[in-house]
Amino acid sequence: MHHRRRTAAVLREIIREVVTVDVDDAELAAIADALEPLRDRLAAGRRIERDVGGLHTKDHAGANQGRTPLYDRDPLIGLSNPLSPPMAAIEGTDRRAWEVVFGDAYGGHPGFAHGGYVSAVLDHVLGVVASSSGSATMTGTLTTRYRRPTPLNTRLVCRG
């Protein structure tokens, strides 16, 4: 799992650079040329599927080798998901408080996080708190009233 998380972290950094760095088209073409073979190497691997009954993933052959906790691939908290900010539960809060830093890749209006990502974080925290009763829950409705913009590149705490 260490190498999957490391790969995701590098990809997260690449995403940040693609969003924030101004380089000419020739350099971007060279970078894309270098990345395409890496994408192809990954695509040649076996696909995994989510095991809905448990909190793990498994390969299509059903082997238990290399099982990865489902949440490690989560789009918000997954350290193995290059799309996640990622979020982290704050110690001692019984997973009722989470911290997140929205980097530049999560921007909407310049300098601020896109509201869709903010809503996703709120949805996650509320879901965790609701699930603490012992049964898994899903959000049926989430209405968000934004009172002010959410800054990028700032440690934020969300409490449920």
Side-chain angles (χ1 to χ4, degrees), residues 24-48:
D24 63 35
D25 283 345
E27 181 66 8
L28 287 173
I31 291 168
D33 289 344
L35 289 173
E36 286 171 346
L38 298 175
R39 176 209 54 212
D40 295 343
R41 282 175 62 187
L42 281 170
R46 286 185 299 183
R47 293 278 172 230
I48 57 172

mmCIF file of all heavy atoms in Angstrom, residues 24-48:
data_model
loop_
_atom_site.group_PDB
_atom_site.id
_atom_site.type_symbol
_atom_site.label_atom_id
_atom_site.label_comp_id
_atom_site.label_asym_id
_atom_site.label_seq_id
_atom_site.Cartn_x
_atom_site.Cartn_y
_atom_site.Cartn_z
ATOM 1 N N ASP A 24 5.323 26.642 -21.752
ATOM 2 C CA ASP A 24 4.877 26.738 -23.143
ATOM 3 C C ASP A 24 4.340 25.399 -23.647
ATOM 4 O O ASP A 24 4.527 24.353 -23.035
ATOM 5 C CB ASP A 24 5.993 27.278 -24.046
ATOM 6 C CG ASP A 24 7.213 26.367 -24.111
ATOM 7 O OD1 ASP A 24 7.062 25.132 -24.075
ATOM 8 O OD2 ASP A 24 8.331 26.905 -24.212
ATOM 9 N N ASP A 25 3.660 25.465 -24.781
ATOM 10 C CA ASP A 25 3.008 24.278 -25.340
ATOM 11 C C ASP A 25 3.992 23.165 -25.671
ATOM 12 O O ASP A 25 3.665 21.984 -25.522
ATOM 13 C CB ASP A 25 2.200 24.656 -26.591
ATOM 14 C CG ASP A 25 0.894 25.329 -26.250
ATOM 15 O OD1 ASP A 25 0.470 25.262 -25.077
ATOM 16 O OD2 ASP A 25 0.275 25.922 -27.162
ATOM 17 N N ALA A 26 5.194 23.510 -26.122
ATOM 18 C CA ALA A 26 6.185 22.479 -26.443
ATOM 19 C C ALA A 26 6.558 21.682 -25.200
ATOM 20 O O ALA A 26 6.691 20.453 -25.248
ATOM 21 C CB ALA A 26 7.425 23.118 -27.077
ATOM 22 N N GLU A 27 6.713 22.367 -24.074
ATOM 23 C CA GLU A 27 7.042 21.678 -22.826
ATOM 24 C C GLU A 27 5.874 20.799 -22.379
ATOM 25 O O GLU A 27 6.065 19.664 -21.941
ATOM 26 C CB GLU A 27 7.415 22.695 -21.743
ATOM 27 C CG GLU A 27 7.800 22.077 -20.424
ATOM 28 C CD GLU A 27 9.087 21.253 -20.461
ATOM 29 O OE1 GLU A 27 9.813 21.261 -21.479
ATOM 30 O OE2 GLU A 27 9.369 20.582 -19.470
ATOM 31 N N LEU A 28 4.653 21.317 -22.497
ATOM 32 C CA LEU A 28 3.480 20.508 -22.137
ATOM 33 C C LEU A 28 3.366 19.279 -23.036
ATOM 34 O O LEU A 28 3.025 18.193 -22.555
ATOM 35 C CB LEU A 28 2.206 21.348 -22.219
ATOM 36 C CG LEU A 28 2.041 22.373 -21.106
ATOM 37 C CD1 LEU A 28 0.834 23.265 -21.384
ATOM 38 C CD2 LEU A 28 1.898 21.697 -19.755
ATOM 39 N N ALA A 29 3.661 19.422 -24.305
ATOM 40 C CA ALA A 29 3.621 18.275 -25.224
ATOM 41 C C ALA A 29 4.653 17.230 -24.808
ATOM 42 O O ALA A 29 4.363 16.025 -24.798
ATOM 43 C CB ALA A 29 3.867 18.733 -26.659
ATOM 44 N N ALA A 30 5.852 17.670 -24.429
ATOM 45 C CA ALA A 30 6.894 16.736 -23.993
ATOM 46 C C ALA A 30 6.482 16.023 -22.703
ATOM 47 O O ALA A 30 6.728 14.822 -22.536
ATOM 48 C CB ALA A 30 8.217 17.487 -23.798
ATOM 49 N N ILE A 31 5.851 16.762 -21.797
ATOM 50 C CA ILE A 31 5.389 16.162 -20.543
ATOM 51 C C ILE A 31 4.302 15.123 -20.827
ATOM 52 O O ILE A 31 4.334 14.009 -20.292
ATOM 53 C CB ILE A 31 4.894 17.251 -19.570
ATOM 54 C CG1 ILE A 31 6.092 18.077 -19.085
ATOM 55 C CG2 ILE A 31 4.128 16.649 -18.394
ATOM 56 C CD1 ILE A 31 5.724 19.350 -18.366
ATOM 57 N N ALA A 32 3.348 15.458 -21.686
ATOM 58 C CA ALA A 32 2.296 14.493 -22.047
ATOM 59 C C ALA A 32 2.907 13.258 -22.696
ATOM 60 O O ALA A 32 2.494 12.130 -22.407
ATOM 61 C CB ALA A 32 1.276 15.147 -22.967
ATOM 62 N N ASP A 33 3.904 13.453 -23.563
ATOM 63 C CA ASP A 33 4.582 12.319 -24.210
ATOM 64 C C ASP A 33 5.240 11.413 -23.170
ATOM 65 O O ASP A 33 5.240 10.192 -23.309
ATOM 66 C CB ASP A 33 5.635 12.811 -25.208
ATOM 67 C CG ASP A 33 5.026 13.428 -26.458
ATOM 68 O OD1 ASP A 33 3.812 13.215 -26.718
ATOM 69 O OD2 ASP A 33 5.767 14.143 -27.174
ATOM 70 N N ALA A 34 5.803 12.010 -22.121
ATOM 71 C CA ALA A 34 6.456 11.225 -21.065
ATOM 72 C C ALA A 34 5.438 10.512 -20.181
ATOM 73 O O ALA A 34 5.694 9.405 -19.696
ATOM 74 C CB ALA A 34 7.360 12.132 -20.227
ATOM 75 N N LEU A 35 4.265 11.127 -19.983
ATOM 76 C CA LEU A 35 3.254 10.542 -19.102
ATOM 77 C C LEU A 35 2.460 9.416 -19.770
ATOM 78 O O LEU A 35 2.028 8.479 -19.085
ATOM 79 C CB LEU A 35 2.290 11.621 -18.607
ATOM 80 C CG LEU A 35 2.860 12.624 -17.609
ATOM 81 C CD1 LEU A 35 1.854 13.733 -17.339
ATOM 82 C CD2 LEU A 35 3.256 11.930 -16.317
ATOM 83 N N GLU A 36 2.243 9.503 -21.064
ATOM 84 C CA GLU A 36 1.413 8.488 -21.740
ATOM 85 C C GLU A 36 1.930 7.067 -21.567
ATOM 86 O O GLU A 36 1.131 6.162 -21.281
ATOM 87 C CB GLU A 36 1.230 8.860 -23.204
ATOM 88 C CG GLU A 36 0.249 10.018 -23.363
ATOM 89 C CD GLU A 36 0.177 10.575 -24.779
ATOM 90 O OE1 GLU A 36 1.061 10.263 -25.611
ATOM 91 O OE2 GLU A 36 -0.761 11.337 -25.042
ATOM 92 N N PRO A 37 3.240 6.794 -21.678
ATOM 93 C CA PRO A 37 3.705 5.417 -21.423
ATOM 94 C C PRO A 37 3.473 4.968 -19.976
ATOM 95 O O PRO A 37 3.218 3.786 -19.728
ATOM 96 C CB PRO A 37 5.201 5.469 -21.748
ATOM 97 C CG PRO A 37 5.374 6.659 -22.623
ATOM 98 C CD PRO A 37 4.314 7.637 -22.202
ATOM 99 N N LEU A 38 3.554 5.886 -19.028
ATOM 100 C CA LEU A 38 3.287 5.538 -17.633
ATOM 101 C C LEU A 38 1.821 5.180 -17.453
ATOM 102 O O LEU A 38 1.483 4.227 -16.742
ATOM 103 C CB LEU A 38 3.682 6.694 -16.711
ATOM 104 C CG LEU A 38 5.156 7.074 -16.724
ATOM 105 C CD1 LEU A 38 5.393 8.304 -15.861
ATOM 106 C CD2 LEU A 38 6.020 5.915 -16.282
ATOM 107 N N ARG A 39 0.940 5.947 -18.089
ATOM 108 C CA ARG A 39 -0.493 5.627 -18.051
ATOM 109 C C ARG A 39 -0.718 4.231 -18.616
ATOM 110 O O ARG A 39 -1.462 3.432 -18.049
ATOM 111 C CB ARG A 39 -1.281 6.660 -18.868
ATOM 112 C CG ARG A 39 -2.770 6.349 -18.955
ATOM 113 C CD ARG A 39 -3.413 6.867 -20.215
ATOM 114 N NE ARG A 39 -2.738 6.411 -21.405
ATOM 115 C CZ ARG A 39 -2.665 7.126 -22.529
ATOM 116 N NH1 ARG A 39 -3.202 8.318 -22.602
ATOM 117 N NH2 ARG A 39 -2.044 6.633 -23.580
ATOM 118 N N ASP A 40 -0.055 3.922 -19.741
ATOM 119 C CA ASP A 40 -0.219 2.612 -20.373
ATOM 120 C C ASP A 40 0.283 1.485 -19.467
ATOM 121 O O ASP A 40 -0.324 0.408 -19.428
ATOM 122 C CB ASP A 40 0.500 2.577 -21.724
ATOM 123 C CG ASP A 40 -0.111 3.545 -22.736
ATOM 124 O OD1 ASP A 40 -1.259 4.009 -22.523
ATOM 125 O OD2 ASP A 40 0.570 3.849 -23.741
ATOM 126 N N ARG A 41 1.365 1.720 -18.733
ATOM 127 C CA ARG A 41 1.870 0.706 -17.799
ATOM 128 C C ARG A 41 0.847 0.429 -16.705
ATOM 129 O O ARG A 41 0.610 -0.731 -16.344
ATOM 130 C CB ARG A 41 3.188 1.160 -17.175
ATOM 131 C CG ARG A 41 4.377 0.993 -18.102
ATOM 132 C CD ARG A 41 5.641 1.546 -17.516
ATOM 133 N NE ARG A 41 6.043 0.884 -16.275
ATOM 134 C CZ ARG A 41 7.064 1.315 -15.534
ATOM 135 N NH1 ARG A 41 7.764 2.376 -15.896
ATOM 136 N NH2 ARG A 41 7.381 0.678 -14.435
ATOM 137 N N LEU A 42 0.239 1.470 -16.186
ATOM 138 C CA LEU A 42 -0.793 1.280 -15.166
ATOM 139 C C LEU A 42 -2.008 0.560 -15.750
ATOM 140 O O LEU A 42 -2.561 -0.339 -15.114
ATOM 141 C CB LEU A 42 -1.223 2.624 -14.586
ATOM 142 C CG LEU A 42 -0.295 3.231 -13.553
ATOM 143 C CD1 LEU A 42 -0.714 4.667 -13.237
ATOM 144 C CD2 LEU A 42 -0.257 2.393 -12.297
ATOM 145 N N ALA A 43 -2.416 0.941 -16.939
ATOM 146 C CA ALA A 43 -3.606 0.357 -17.559
ATOM 147 C C ALA A 43 -3.426 -1.131 -17.843
ATOM 148 O O ALA A 43 -4.412 -1.865 -17.958
ATOM 149 C CB ALA A 43 -3.947 1.103 -18.850
ATOM 150 N N ALA A 44 -2.197 -1.595 -17.939
ATOM 151 C CA ALA A 44 -1.934 -3.018 -18.205
ATOM 152 C C ALA A 44 -2.156 -3.889 -16.968
ATOM 153 O O ALA A 44 -2.235 -5.110 -17.076
ATOM 154 C CB ALA A 44 -0.503 -3.194 -18.719
ATOM 155 N N GLY A 45 -2.285 -3.277 -15.808
ATOM 156 C CA GLY A 45 -2.492 -4.044 -14.578
ATOM 157 C C GLY A 45 -3.910 -4.575 -14.463
ATOM 158 O O GLY A 45 -4.804 -4.198 -15.218
ATOM 159 N N ARG A 46 -4.104 -5.472 -13.496
ATOM 160 C CA ARG A 46 -5.439 -6.013 -13.250
ATOM 161 C C ARG A 46 -6.320 -4.952 -12.622
ATOM 162 O O ARG A 46 -5.884 -4.191 -11.769
ATOM 163 C CB ARG A 46 -5.374 -7.213 -12.313
ATOM 164 C CG ARG A 46 -4.829 -8.457 -12.954
ATOM 165 C CD ARG A 46 -4.917 -9.598 -11.992
ATOM 166 N NE ARG A 46 -4.108 -9.278 -10.809
ATOM 167 C CZ ARG A 46 -3.907 -10.080 -9.793
ATOM 168 N NH1 ARG A 46 -4.476 -11.247 -9.774
ATOM 169 N NH2 ARG A 46 -3.153 -9.737 -8.781
ATOM 170 N N ARG A 47 -7.578 -4.928 -13.010
ATOM 171 C CA ARG A 47 -8.546 -3.998 -12.429
ATOM 172 C C ARG A 47 -9.017 -4.544 -11.089
ATOM 173 O O ARG A 47 -9.130 -5.746 -10.894
ATOM 174 C CB ARG A 47 -9.765 -3.835 -13.347
ATOM 175 C CG ARG A 47 -9.453 -3.160 -14.636
ATOM 176 C CD ARG A 47 -9.436 -1.654 -14.429
ATOM 177 N NE ARG A 47 -8.935 -1.036 -15.644
ATOM 178 C CZ ARG A 47 -7.972 -0.134 -15.652
ATOM 179 N NH1 ARG A 47 -7.436 0.268 -14.543
ATOM 180 N NH2 ARG A 47 -7.563 0.377 -16.768
ATOM 181 N N ILE A 48 -9.293 -3.647 -10.179
ATOM 182 C CA ILE A 48 -9.860 -4.046 -8.900
ATOM 183 C C ILE A 48 -11.284 -3.537 -8.837
ATOM 184 O O ILE A 48 -11.667 -2.628 -9.562
ATOM 185 C CB ILE A 48 -9.040 -3.497 -7.718
ATOM 186 C CG1 ILE A 48 -8.944 -1.982 -7.802
ATOM 187 C CG2 ILE A 48 -7.668 -4.128 -7.665
ATOM 188 C CD1 ILE A 48 -8.329 -1.354 -6.597
#
